[in-house]
């Protein structure tokens, strides 16, 4: 069997789905499937953003606050009577400004990403607090709420369509463009990449900008879905998104990571949370199960790698 | 490199002095001994955890489960209090049991990292979820207050020696002990070695798996001690009280000059990192900074500090003349 | 007691997809210097790693130490048998001091809580460094040393170990020849003390200088073992590659054309000064000098990764500014670095991805998306023309032997079709067969109109390939020689003496700092 | 208003509990095929909501309904919405929610209503238009002003500096109380000076303790601390206790009596003001059952196990009763 890490994960996602369909009452109801589709995109987008940064060997601890700040941008526009489009544009601009700041300090000054984003995490949170004084901004138009709550063609939640589109765009950008290739190469060995005539700082800048763009899209969906924004919008997704990225096979030291893996990981998280909820598990135990799965899947990768190596060696031995 | 290492720590010291100067200018209380003791005592737990984290970061790993680990031990301590008789022997016993509980959990992290070769961040994210979830499930978040504490423990918690709270001594012992391990024992040097170059360490016969096991177990051990300190400091056991503390701990270590890619880091640097964060926390109220702007100030200082530190490092690197060019 | 310190029998090693060793044997006598030779990828390093306990051999292999059978499962087992290994890519700890690097590993089997005795560490280090007669401060951290100095630290470590068998995998590739001489002396001294040495090198002359016996590998197979007296260079080459190769002077392109590249007044504080030269079409310009004379810094400054304080460049008479390596590639300047593994290649990535990296923008289809097919084609083309082995385009570069890695780097830069190619120590660690191939290639490139600047410390290489030679000394150009007038002596004179007030005896001592061996 | 909202953490540590947004603690009680009443707190696993959980479960047993008490592990609006969505999937009869952010539950409550589920809020009000019933422990305005009065009373003077601690800057109900308290000071005690903006304590006793230490140093004339959110009064009192300032600095805040006991004892905490959260849980379930059975509560109605309730003019806002003061004298009488 020559299954890639990602396909194995896909099978695990499928197995989880089937298992829960059997044991969790109401898991397969159209209502539940729908609500899962509404729940997944906001986290999925943050996880993709995190993945792209991790592929460069970095991490973006400020990503959820970028999302929150971008949501604040949209909220300010909407509550001041601007239309949906200007609000979306401002949300994206807010996020890009944050991303550009991160990108600047990381790529031009050269400070390591974990340090920079530890700082900007607090900084962006502070900016939100200074703007909102800690209270939530809410009460957006009906039209805006359709982004997160509406259906595309009356069938599929619009937000999951948006997520799918961005997942595909991310996959294409990473695997099919020279920027994407440079991201992987930079993640593996930045010196050699620089010595190959790649503009590292530009590559990195684009990484942080792109991650913040994804955060902005997530923020738009969240603000629309929850009809409000507060300083902690999406903050619980921070370490979870790291977990989803690595569960999805992304190398935490950089150089490897695929969109499809992260998507499968996000789906597994979604199925399990929802299924265990339906089964009436104590919410703390849901965390326990997620933690256990994270470790188990990675342990499985380890053992299957080992097995594969042994098998390959044997084959090569025979061939030689 | 020693000179450079010093350089790195000197730049954070410079930042601390600068902030300290500003603070003592705006607030007369800042430069008092009482305030300093408060700052240090209030950061003993972070300090102890950061010291353990330093070793892990030197080996180029990371442990995000520390806060959960410490909480788990603290909760166990609260539970033990209902058993242990009210005597100083109980306090001693606590110093045996708590570190061992921590050690066992640390060992689990270590085994998964070294034997199963799962990246540390994944392992500890996993154990963070598992431990925190179980703690919450078992305790339901209920906290134990000091009415249930044995008097002997309260006496320990409030004990002062030569005018200094006992917890400060605890931090000092941990710091000096760890410094000694790092500087003067074989295992300590191996920690630095595998951080510097894992492949080389394999070749010279260092069992890097054992070393990794050690750093995580030691982290667990220190988490056990930190749990005692936490319980003595807050005089309560709060299952939610340390949520999110792991990032502060990591921040302190990296601000203190440890390199997350491994090989570099020191105990005194880490303590300086803890001090920097502590002074900023303390300074916000003393400097009477508007509540809503405190995070902006803190965040900006962190970004400026790490950028300044990095720029001065780069400049010193550039200045290193490589070749003696004749005039 | 056996006369052999080490016997390895029936050693095979299979990597996924490659049979690196096939029933190889190696027998080393006590006190002898035993040369292990073979082409790039012949399996030398792999054999050594098996001896070291890093790789497990396929079942059936047998090891004997002093006649007694032994098992080696992990590095410490080898250490305990008195084996000390200096790897091709070194195994130092950049963050630790020289003294500690020398000491490390000695106590690996001791209790982890053992207290370190810093005094005795310093003493041991001092002694070992003294024995090597090198002037390195044992307190500096290794990351501040040059590659050559690092290699010496490795050797000092083996000395300090008091090993019975020292393996040196291409120890001289980064050493200047005075250091090489010192090394030979040390080798002689060690073998006279009864310590055995396995010496791996591609420099045949030096092998004949030090070795008592030769074991030859070809394509992972054992060819034979020979006394030094019973063979000569030509025969060895024949055994290694299965055909005859000679290290001949390349034909010069006499009619060089217009000036295509000019460097003017390059200056960088603490690195180089007053650098001006020009390069004509069809010409190979050799730059040589002592190790540490600033050649690499200069090349990297031209290439834009290491910005000069002042200076200007012209290509085809047009003034250009290179602010980054990306600029350089765009303007047609390529640089092949000397540090292959860290600067030259992205080791974990496939050969394809490495080769196409500098020209990703040219690998795009109409939709601006990467075209995998043309990438594969490109890679296959260079794998074939440079004879990269194994010829598997999807293999990560880390799985190639050192020499084959270099070929990939060259392929990568040829694919960029540069106007100017700067190549730094092009044949470091490359076997003689491949070496002549690379020389021919450089010449061919020059004939095709590419300006080639070749930095090399090997004078025979400089003389064989260049049309003109620049000599650098302490960050300045100390002399320029046309190939007709250039001789090793003249070059050496410039490398040492331009305007120098050094006293002659010191200068004399330096004479050998440019390597003269092949 | 929940007094223990775990939100708006504002340190560099940030919000870091991985997987913390998970949802769905659930406890079943009562009859097999009776009504399903879901009670959603702001978060589970803190003492305050544990206390209301036991009340809710007790009510479920007494009234023979299935009580499903479930919420996120962090006071996160989006996590709470997911819990409610899953409850809709489970097709319960009544959802009673204590919203972390009233606006953010609006869409999902609408959806619940569309599915024919009865929707109510408890502890903290949601959008008035949406809910069929709104259960409140106290009147926010009254509660805030009451705490302010208690503080002045404890200080024994109507002049002097005071500081206000809060759980988190973004907790809506805490902000309401603080505003009310400030109004009370402005209107009736002009001599009271509030030294700083409200200070966030991340819902942690330790942080409240440290901030109070800093406050005591920074403002040596400080006379009182008003600490809003359950851990904050404990931390403030701990600081006062350790500095031995029981007689100089008064602390008043919202806390549970058992937690407060050690501080009430020596006067480092003067008064804890709260209500019985268990009763609140009980009342919520009782009213939920009424709602599902088509009844509406009336003003002055006696609810068994709770007492007499007040219903406001709008007919759907129910107030459980006046706040309770816990002091040295009576703290031992309570078991929550
Ligand atoms: N880790 C590995 N995985 C797969 N193949 C490997 C690995 N290491 C070496 N090889 C292969 O084994 C063969 C022998 O390589 P080795 O490094 O021993 O050559 P060498 O004789 O030392 O060559 P050089 O002179 O170029 O250093 C090569 O074909 C190489 O590609
Ligand atoms: N990492 C480093 N830190 C400090 N000094 C270094 C470092 N690397 C190299 N050097 C020193 O810089 C000087 C110039 O080295 P450079 O590589 O430019 O010389 P070179 O003429 O290219 O010689 P070669 O390429 O043969 O080593 C040398 O003296 C070397 O010791
Ligand atoms: Mg080799
Ligand atoms: Mg060089």
């Amino acid at each position: 069997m020559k299954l890639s890490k990602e396909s194995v994960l896909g099978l695990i996602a499928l197995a989880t789905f089937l298992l829960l369909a059997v044991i969790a009452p109401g898991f397969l109801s159209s209502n539940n499937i729908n609500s899962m589709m509404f729940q997944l995109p906001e986290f999925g987008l943050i996880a993709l953003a995190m993945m792209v940064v991790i592929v460069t060997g970095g991490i973006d601890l400020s990503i959820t606050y970028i999302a929150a700040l971008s949501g604040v941008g949209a909220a300010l526009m909407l509550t001041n009577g601007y239309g949906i489009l200007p609000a979306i544009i401002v949300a994206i601009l807010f996020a890009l400004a944050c991303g550009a700041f991160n990108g600047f300090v990381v790529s031009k000054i050269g400070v390591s990403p974990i340090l920079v984003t530890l700082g900007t995490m607090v900084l962006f949170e502070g900016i939100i607090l200074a703007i909102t004084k800690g209270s939530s901004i809410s009460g957006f138009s009906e039209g805006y709420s359709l982004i997160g709550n509406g259906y595309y063609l009356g069938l599929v939640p619009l937000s999951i369509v948006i997520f799918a589109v961005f997942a595909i765009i991310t996959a294409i950008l990473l695997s099919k463009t020279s920027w994407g290739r440079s991201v992987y190469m930079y993640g593996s060995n930045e010196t050699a990449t620089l010595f190959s005539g790649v503009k590292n700082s530009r590559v990195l800048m684009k990484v942080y900008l792109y991650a913040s763009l994804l955060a902005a899209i997530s923020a738009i969906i969240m603000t629309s879905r929850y009809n409000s924004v507060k300083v902690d919008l999406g903050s619980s997704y921070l370490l979870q998104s790291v977990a989803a990225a690595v569960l999805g096979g992304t190398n935490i030291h950089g150089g490897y990571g695929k969109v499809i893996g992260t998507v499968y990981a996000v789906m597994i998280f979604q199925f399990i949370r929802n299924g265990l909820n339906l089964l009436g598990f104590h919410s703390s135990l849901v965390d326990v199960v997620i933690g256990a799965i994270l470790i188990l899947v990675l342990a499985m990768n380890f053992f299957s790698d080992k097995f594969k190596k042994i098998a390959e060696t044997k084959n090569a031995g025979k061939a030689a | 490199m020693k000179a450079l290492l010093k350089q790195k720590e000197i730049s954070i010291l410079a930042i601390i002095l600068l902030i300290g100067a500003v603070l003592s200018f705006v607030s007369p209380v800042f430069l008092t001994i009482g305030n300093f003791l408060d700052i240090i005592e209030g950061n003993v737990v972070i300090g102890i955890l950061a010291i353990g984290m330093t070793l892990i970061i030197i080996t180029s790993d990371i442990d995000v489960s520390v806060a959960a680990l410490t909480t788990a031990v603290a909760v166990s301590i609260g539970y033990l209090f209902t058993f242990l008789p009210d005597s100083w022997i109980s306090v001693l016993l606590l110093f045996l049991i708590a570190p061992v509980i921590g050690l066992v959990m640390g060992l689990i992290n270590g085994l998964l990292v070294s034997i199963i070769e799962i990246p540390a961040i994944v392992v500890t994210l996993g154990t963070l979820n598992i431990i925190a979830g179980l703690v919450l499930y078992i305790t339901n978040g209920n906290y134990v207050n000091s009415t249930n504490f044995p008097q002997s423990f309260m006496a320990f918690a409030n004990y002062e020696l030569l005018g200094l709270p006992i917890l400060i001594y605890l931090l000092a012992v941990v710091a000096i002990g760890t410094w000694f391990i790092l500087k003067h024992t074989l295992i300590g040097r191996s920690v630095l070695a595998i951080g510097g170059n894992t492949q080389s360490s394999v070749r010279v016969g260092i069992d890097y798996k054992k070393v990794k096991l050690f750093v995580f177990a030691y982290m667990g051990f220190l988490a056990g001690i930190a749990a005692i300190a936490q319980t003595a400091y807050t005089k309560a056991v709060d299952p939610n009280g340390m949520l999110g503390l792991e990032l502060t701990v990591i921040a302190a270590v990296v601000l203190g000059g440890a390199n997350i890619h491994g090989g570099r880091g020191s105990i005194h640097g880490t303590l300086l990192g803890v001090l920097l964060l502590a002074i900023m926390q303390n300074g916000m109220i003393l400097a009477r900074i508007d509540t809503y702007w405190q995070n902006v100030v803190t965040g900006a200082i962190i970004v400026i500090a790490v950028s300044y530190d990095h720029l001065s490092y780069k400049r010193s690197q550039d200045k290193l003349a490589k070749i003696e060019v004749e005039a | 007691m056996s006369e052999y310190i080490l016997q390895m029998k029936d050693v095979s090693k299979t990597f996924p997809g490659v049979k690196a060793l096939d029933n190889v044997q190696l027998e080393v006598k006590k006190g002898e210097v035993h040369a292990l030779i073979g082409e790039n990828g012949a399996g030398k390093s792999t054999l050594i790693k098996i001896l070291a306990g890093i790789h497990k051999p396929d079942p059936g292999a047998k090891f004997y130490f002093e006649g007694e059978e032994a098992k080696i499962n992990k590095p410490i087992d080898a250490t305990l048998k008195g084996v000390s290994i200096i790897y091709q890519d070194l195994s130092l700890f950049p963050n630790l001091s020289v003294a500690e690097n020398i000491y490390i590993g000695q106590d690996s089997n001791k209790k982890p809580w053992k207290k370190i005795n810093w005094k005795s560490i310093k003493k041991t280090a001092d002694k070992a460094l003294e024995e090597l007669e090198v002037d390195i401060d044992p307190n500096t951290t290794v990351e501040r040393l040059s590659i050559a100095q690092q290699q010496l630290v490795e050797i000092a470590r083996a000395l300090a170990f008091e090993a019975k068998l020292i393996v040196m995998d291409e120890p001289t590739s980064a050493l200047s020849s005075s250091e090489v001489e010192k090394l030979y002396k040390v080798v002689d001294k060690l073998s006279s003390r009864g310590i055995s040495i396995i010496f791996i090198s591609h420099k045949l002359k030096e092998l004949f200088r030090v070795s008592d016996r030769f074991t030859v590998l070809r394509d992972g197979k054992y060819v034979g073992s020979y006394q030094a007296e019973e063979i000569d260079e030509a025969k060895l080459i024949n055994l290694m590659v299965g055909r005859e190769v000679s290290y001949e002077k390349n034909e010069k392109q006499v009619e060089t054309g217009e000036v295509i590249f000019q460097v003017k007044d390059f200056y960088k504080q603490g690195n180089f000064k007053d650098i001006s030269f020009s390069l004509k079409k069809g010409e190979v310009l050799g730059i040589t000098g002592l190790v540490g004379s600033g050649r690499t810094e200069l090349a990297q400054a031209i290439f834009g990764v290491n910005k000069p304080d002042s200076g200007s460049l012209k290509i085809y008479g047009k003034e250009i500014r290179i602010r980054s390596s990306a600029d350089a590639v765009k303007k047609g300047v390529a640089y092949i670095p000397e540090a292959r593994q860290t600067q030259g290649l992205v080791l974990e990535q496939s050969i394809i991805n490495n080769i196409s990296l500098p020209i990703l923008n040219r690998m795009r289809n109409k939709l601006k998306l990467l075209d995998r097919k043309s990438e594969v084609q490109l890679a296959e083309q260079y794998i074939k023309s440079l004879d990269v082995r194994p010829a598997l385009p999807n293999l990560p570069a880390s799985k190639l032997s050192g020499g084959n890695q270099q070929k990939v780097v060259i392929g990568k830069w040829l694919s960029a079709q540069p106007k100017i190619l700067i190549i730094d120590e092009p044949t470091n660690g490359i076997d003689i067969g491949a070496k002549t191939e690379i020389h021919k290639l450089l010449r061919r490139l020059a004939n095709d109109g590419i300006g080639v600047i070749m930095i090399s410390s090997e004078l025979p290489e400089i003389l064989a390939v260049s049309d003109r030679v620049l000599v650098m000394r302490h960050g300045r150009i100390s002399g320029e020689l046309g190939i007709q007038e250039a001789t090793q002596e003249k070059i050496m004179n410039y490398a040492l003496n331009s305007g120098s007030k050094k006293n002659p005896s010191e200068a004399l001592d330096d004479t050998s700092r440019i390597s003269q061996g092949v | 208003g929940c007094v223990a909202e775990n939100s708006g953490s504002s340190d560099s540590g940030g919000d870091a509990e991985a997987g913390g947004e998970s949802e769905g603690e659930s406890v079943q009680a009562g009859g097999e095929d009776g009504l399903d009443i879901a009670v959603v707190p702001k978060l589970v696993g803190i003492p305050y909501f544990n206390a209301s959980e036991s009340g809710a479960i007790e009510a479920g047993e007494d009234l023979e309904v299935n009580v499903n008490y479930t919420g996120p592990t962090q006071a996160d609006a989006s996590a709470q919405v997911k819990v409610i969505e899953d409850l809709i999937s489970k097709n319960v009869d009544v959802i009673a929610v204590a919203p972390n952010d009233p606006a953010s539950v609006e869409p999902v409550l609408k959806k619940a209503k569309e599915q024919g589920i009865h929707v109510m809020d408890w502890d903290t009000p949601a959008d008035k238009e949406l809910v069929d019933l709104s259960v409140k422990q106290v009147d926010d305005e009254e509660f805030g002003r009451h705490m302010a009065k208690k503080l002045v009373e404890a200080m024994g003077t109507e002049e002097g500096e005071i500081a206000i601690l809060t759980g988190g800057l973004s907790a809506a109900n805490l902000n309401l109380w603080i505003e009310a308290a400030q109004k009370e000071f402005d209107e009736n005690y002009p001599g009271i000076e509030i030294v700083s903006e409200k200070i966030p304590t991340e819902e942690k006793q330790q942080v409240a303790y440290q901030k109070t230490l800093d406050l005591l140093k920074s403002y040596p004339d400080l006379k009182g601390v008003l600490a809003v959110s359950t851990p904050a009064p404990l931390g403030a009192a701990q600081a006062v206790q350790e500095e031995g300032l029981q007689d100089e600095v008064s602390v008043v805040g919202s806390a549970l009596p058992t937690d407060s006991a050690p501080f009430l004892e020596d006067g480092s905490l003067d008064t804890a003001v709260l209500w019985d959260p268990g009763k609140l849980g009980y009342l919520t379930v009782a009213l939920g059952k009424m709602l599902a059975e088509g009844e509406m509560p009336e003003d002055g109605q006696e609810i068994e196990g709770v007492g007499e309730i007040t219903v406001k003019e709008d007919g759907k806002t129910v107030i459980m009763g006046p706040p309770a003061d816990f002091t040295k004298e009576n703290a031992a009488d309570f078991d929550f």
Side-chain angles (χ1 to χ4, degrees), chain A:
Chain A
M1 282 230 291
K2 270 198 296 189
L3 282 181
S4 67
K5 276 207 269 215
E6 285 77 16
S7 333
V8 172
L9 205 65
L11 289 179
I12 294 175
L14 185 66
T16 325
F17 184 85
L18 293 177
L19 181 72
L20 288 167
V22 173
I23 62 172
F27 187 78
L28 274 186
S29 74
S30 66
N31 192 347
N32 192 50
I33 300 278
N34 250 328
S35 79
M36 283 201 286
M37 285 201 278
F38 276 117
Q39 290 173 7
L40 186 137
E42 52 189 60
F43 173 51
L45 286 163
I46 300 263
L48 286 181
M50 189 60 89
M51 182 204 91
V52 174
V53 178
I54 292 179
V55 169
T56 65
I59 195 163
D60 189 347
L61 298 174
S62 70
I63 195 81
T64 57
Y65 287 104
I66 293 181
L69 187 52
S70 139
V72 167
L76 287 178
M77 294 296 284
L78 290 167
T79 49
N80 280 315
Y82 289 92
I84 297 174
L85 196 64
I88 291 178
I89 292 172
V90 167
I92 292 175
L93 288 180
F94 267 48
L96 290 182
C98 297
F101 185 74
N102 279 338
F104 175 80
V105 184
V106 171
S107 73
K108 293 286 181 208
I109 302 185
V111 188
S112 81
I114 190 168
L115 283 173
V116 177
T117 56
L118 258 173
T120 54
M121 164 173 106
V122 183
L123 181 66
F124 297 155
E125 185 191 9
I127 294 174
I128 302 169
L129 281 176
I131 296 176
T132 64
K133 302 286 177 230
S135 36
S136 61
I137 310 177
S138 58
F140 312 140
S141 61
E142 281 292 316
Y144 188 73
S145 84
L146 283 180
I147 302 173
N149 296 303
Y151 289 86
Y152 177 71
L153 299 176
L155 268 177
V156 206
L158 181 60
S159 53
I160 198 114
V161 176
I162 297 175
F163 172 66
V165 167
F166 275 94
I168 293 169
I169 290 176
T170 311
I172 291 175
L173 285 176
L174 282 182
S175 65
K176 291 265 181 256
T177 67
S178 52
W179 170 68
R181 176 66 60 72
S182 309
V183 170
Y184 286 109
M185 300 301 271
Y186 178 93
S188 296
N189 180 345
E190 54 180 291
T191 315
T193 307
L194 178 73
F195 272 77
S196 303
V198 174
K199 283 203 170 121
N200 279 355
S201 60
R202 199 172 285 185
V203 170
L204 266 188
M205 181 57 116
K206 284 186 192 161
V207 164
Y208 286 90
L209 285 176
Y210 187 68
S212 67
L213 173 73
L214 290 176
I217 306 298
S218 172
I220 291 165
I221 292 177
M222 283 193 277
T223 46
S224 154
R225 217 162 100 78
Y226 305 127
N227 189 30
S228 91
V229 60
K230 215 170 61 167
V231 62
D232 61 357
L233 182 78
S235 58
S236 53
Y237 293 141
L238 176 57
L239 289 191
Q240 273 191 73
S241 62
V242 178
V246 285
L247 178 64
T250 312
N251 183 342
I252 195 77
H253 304 299
Y256 186 84
K258 287 198 169 141
V259 169
I260 188 70
T262 306
V263 171
Y264 285 142
V266 168
M267 281 164 66
I268 292 175
F269 280 15
Q270 179 65 49
F271 295 156
I272 287 177
R273 287 194 184 289
N274 178 271
L276 295 189
N277 260 343
L278 293 181
L279 284 170
F281 266 56
H282 191 290
S283 52
S284 316
L285 290 183
V286 179
D287 286 349
V288 176
V289 173
I290 296 266
I293 288 194
L294 192 58
I295 291 178
L296 279 179
V297 169
L298 273 271
M300 218 173 68
N301 275 350
F302 167 76
F303 287 115
S304 77
D305 271 4
K306 205 152 218 197
F307 178 75
K308 224 182 336 188
K309 235 178 241 163
I310 294 170
E312 255 180 49
T313 313
K314 266 193 195 134
N315 285 345
K318 262 180 231 148

Side-chain angles (χ1 to χ4, degrees), chain B residues 317 320-324, chain C residues 141-150 173-176 270-272 287-300 306 335 338 424-425 428 455-457 472-473 475 513:
Chain B
Q317 281 292 73
L320 267 180
K322 293 194 174 144
I323 293 161
E324 216 184 292
Chain C
T141 43
V142 160
E143 66 193 335
R144 295 169 72 84
L145 302 180
S146 66
I147 303 264
Q149 287 171 316
Q150 294 185 13
S173 57
L175 297 190
S176 68
N271 286 268
F272 46 79
I287 301 185
T288 186
L290 303 183
V291 170
S293 56
R295 298 161 299 172
T296 296
E297 266 72 14
L298 172 63
Q300 294 187 354
N306 171 12
Y335 169 68
E338 57 185 341
D424 200 349
E425 306 289 2
N428 214 340
I455 298 172
S456 174
S457 304
M472 280 185 73
R473 177 177 186 281
R513 286 196 69 190

Side-chain angles (χ1 to χ4, degrees), chain C residues 45 88 169-170:
Chain C
S45 298
Q88 198 169 358
D169 194 350
E170 303 199 31

Side-chain angles (χ1 to χ4, degrees), chain D residues 184-310:
Chain D
E184 178 72 20
F185 290 130
D186 285 350
E187 288 167 10
N188 298 327
Y189 309 104
I192 299 277
E193 189 201 339
I194 303 174
V195 294
S196 142
E197 275 290 344
K198 58 187 176 226
I199 295 158
T201 59
E202 299 168 38
E203 290 292 339
K204 288 175 187 162
Q205 182 183 335
Q206 181 187 335
V207 179
Y209 166 66
Q210 283 169 336
K211 299 252 161 138
T212 309
L213 281 181
D214 292 345
L215 279 170
L216 294 174
K217 277 177 291 200
S218 198
Y219 304 96
D221 297 328
L222 202 68
K223 286 269 173 330
V225 177
L226 184 65
V228 187
S229 106
T230 39
L234 310 178
Q238 192 190 350
V240 168
Q241 185 174 57
E242 262 166 38
E243 298 294 301
L245 294 172
Q246 287 92 338
D247 297 333
E248 281 78 42
V249 182
S250 306
V251 179
V252 167
S254 48
L256 293 168
T258 38
D259 297 338
S260 315
F263 303 111
L264 289 168
E265 196 63 37
D266 68 348
S268 48
L269 179 62
D270 294 83
T271 314
V273 190
L274 207 67
W275 50 88
D276 180 345
K279 246 188 215 175
L280 181 63
Y282 196 101
L283 179 62
T284 305
V285 171
L287 293 179
K289 186 184 177 208
M290 284 174 72
L291 186 63
E293 289 166 350
E295 294 171 45
M296 284 301 268
E298 284 162 23
D299 191 23
Q301 189 176 349
E302 178 80 22
I303 304 283
E304 210 173 314
V306 178
E308 196 175 299
I309 56 168
T310 316

